[in-house]
Amino acid sequence: MNDVISGIPEFVEAVEAGGFSAAAVRMNLSRSAIGKTIARLEARLGVRLFHRTTRTQSLTDEGQALYLRCRRALDEIRSGQAMLESGKSEVTGRLRISMPVLFGRRCISPLLMEFARQHPKLELDLSFSDRVVDLLDEGFDLAIRNGPLKDSSGLLARRLAHHRMLCFASPEYLESRGTPLSIADLDGHDCLAYVRSGELRTWFFSQDSTQQEFVPPARLRFDDLEAIADAAVAGMGLAWLTRWLVRNDLQSGALVPVLKDFSCISYEAHAVWPRTPHLPLKMRAVIDMLAARLPGMME
């Protein structure tokens, strides 16, 4: 049996990762180990599975046919393992999780570190990136995403918490410039704007179920949310940010909320994972923990 499957996981990983080097990273092996394993598989089968150049590897017709069958077989094996694992009580195994940089560092990672301490047989591989990763192509088990989710039939999602947005400023700024009492008043103030992907982000407020949008007339623009919070503390203007980011500054009095009669919109944080008929215990346990604990981290 071992001879039958020997080299198959490495072969499938090399195809899905887009090359031997990427597969080696995913499997915690060296590139040469991946190459030698696939070479032995080719020798055993008597066919060439990849067209190789100095920079790329592409599937031969035989390699493509083998990959499609092996992919289905591995899916069935993993589904069976997940089904059996669901009856266990001990959280074990490895999880690769992607999350936004700042939100992950401030809110997600501390919870996962505590969870890992409670479950010493759980292995976590955490990746911090603000881009939307492709879970299937890049080999992630789980991703944390903020804001509206794009439709995808290959993914499942669970809402974890809400980001509460807040408009605030330093007491020194308000003393010198006055306190805005309406959305229209914002036009006469310095606003600290967030720019992402070249787009100036709009501020959203609501009152009496009516939503209002405000495009900040910003002299100062940032592509980093922490820098906006720092500038607000320094008295440089009004800011519109999520509450968890400025929690300590609000508690210390370095920042105070403004426009209290208006509600800022909130947006959701989700856990997203590849669709599977049986969710492994390690996945279910982490998602349940985040759903229970994350809202408290974001107040």
Side-chain angles (χ1 to χ4, degrees), residues 170 192 220 222 225-239 255:
S170 71
L192 308 173
L220 300 176
F222 306 78
L225 297 175
E226 284 184 305
I228 293 177
D230 291 342
V233 170
M236 297 303 296
L238 301 171
L255 295 172

Side-chain angles (χ1 to χ4, degrees), residues 22-44:
V25 172
R26 290 189 186 184
M27 302 187 76
N28 290 324
L29 297 171
S30 67
R31 187 189 187 285
S32 63
I34 294 290
K36 290 177 182 178
T37 298
I38 292 175
R40 287 194 294 268
L41 176 63
E42 289 176 324
R44 190 172 81 242

Side-chain angles (χ1 to χ4, degrees), residues 11 63-73:
F11 165 66
Q64 179 66 26
L66 181 65
Y67 165 72
L68 293 175
R69 288 163 175 77
C70 290
R71 173 72 274 170
R72 288 195 293 268

Side-chain angles (χ1 to χ4, degrees), residues 28-290:
N28 290 324
L29 297 171
S30 67
R31 187 189 187 285
S32 63
I34 294 290
K36 290 177 182 178
T37 298
I38 292 175
R40 287 194 294 268
L41 176 63
E42 289 176 324
R44 190 172 81 242
L45 297 176
V47 297
R48 181 172 290 277
L49 300 174
F50 288 95
H51 298 296
R52 295 174 176 83
T53 69
T54 56
R55 294 186 178 181
T56 63
Q57 300 90 33
S58 60
L59 284 172
T60 62
D61 291 342
E62 293 84 356
Q64 179 66 26
L66 181 65
Y67 165 72
L68 293 175
R69 288 163 175 77
C70 290
R71 173 72 274 170
R72 288 195 293 268
L74 287 178
D75 284 343
E76 287 297 319
I77 291 171
R78 288 166 181 164
S79 177
Q81 289 174 335
M83 181 179 63
L84 295 175
E85 195 177 65
S86 64
K88 297 179 181 178
S89 59
E90 186 175 22
V91 178
T92 64
R94 178 174 177 243
L95 281 178
R96 296 192 71 223
I97 305 175
S98 172
M99 65 195 76
V101 177
L102 184 57
F103 182 47
R105 191 169 66 240
R106 290 284 192 93
C107 297
I108 303 295
S109 183
L111 294 176
L112 291 177
M113 293 303 97
E114 180 181 343
F115 193 74
R117 188 178 296 112
Q118 296 168 355
H119 301 279
K121 293 187 178 180
L122 176 67
E123 300 177 34
L124 294 177
D125 184 348
L126 307 184
S127 176
F128 297 82
S129 175
D130 289 330
R131 69 182 180 86
V132 178
V133 302
D134 188 312
L135 276 73
L136 296 173
D137 285 349
E138 298 180 51
F140 285 101
D141 302 295
L142 181 69
I144 309 301
R145 291 181 179 167
N146 292 325
L149 296 176
K150 296 181 179 180
D151 293 335
S152 176
S153 60
L155 299 177
L156 296 174
R158 179 176 175 182
R159 186 176 62 200
L160 299 176
H162 290 271
H163 295 265
R164 291 179 57 200
M165 302 302 294
L166 184 71
C167 188
F168 58 85
S170 71
E172 293 77 14
Y173 175 84
L174 297 177
E175 183 178 355
S176 66
R177 298 293 301 275
T179 300
L181 300 178
S182 69
I183 307 303
D185 290 344
L186 293 176
D187 281 323
H189 282 268
D190 293 329
C191 297
L192 308 173
Y194 180 49
V195 178
R196 184 170 182 181
S197 301
E199 179 183 352
L200 186 70
R201 293 305 173 95
T202 301
W203 299 4
F204 295 93
F205 302 88
S206 64
Q207 187 180 43
D208 300 328
S209 301
T210 300
Q211 181 170 296
Q212 299 185 53
E213 299 182 11
F214 175 72
V215 179
R219 179 172 64 91
L220 300 176
R221 301 175 181 86
F222 306 78
D223 66 359
D224 182 88
L225 297 175
E226 284 184 305
I228 293 177
D230 291 342
V233 170
M236 297 303 296
L238 301 171
W240 189 77
L241 290 173
T242 184
R243 184 181 178 86
W244 57 260
L245 180 58
V246 296
R247 182 192 307 115
N248 294 338
D249 295 317
L250 291 170
Q251 291 174 349
S252 70
L255 295 172
V256 295
V258 298
L259 296 173
K260 296 181 181 179
D261 292 336
F262 294 81
S263 299
C264 292
I265 67 162
S266 62
Y267 59 96
E268 296 176 340
H270 289 86
V272 180
W273 63 95
R275 182 178 295 275
T276 177
H278 300 283
L279 192 64
L281 174 63
K282 58 189 177 183
M283 288 272 287
R284 186 173 68 249
V286 166
I287 294 169
D288 287 347
M289 179 276 294
L290 290 175

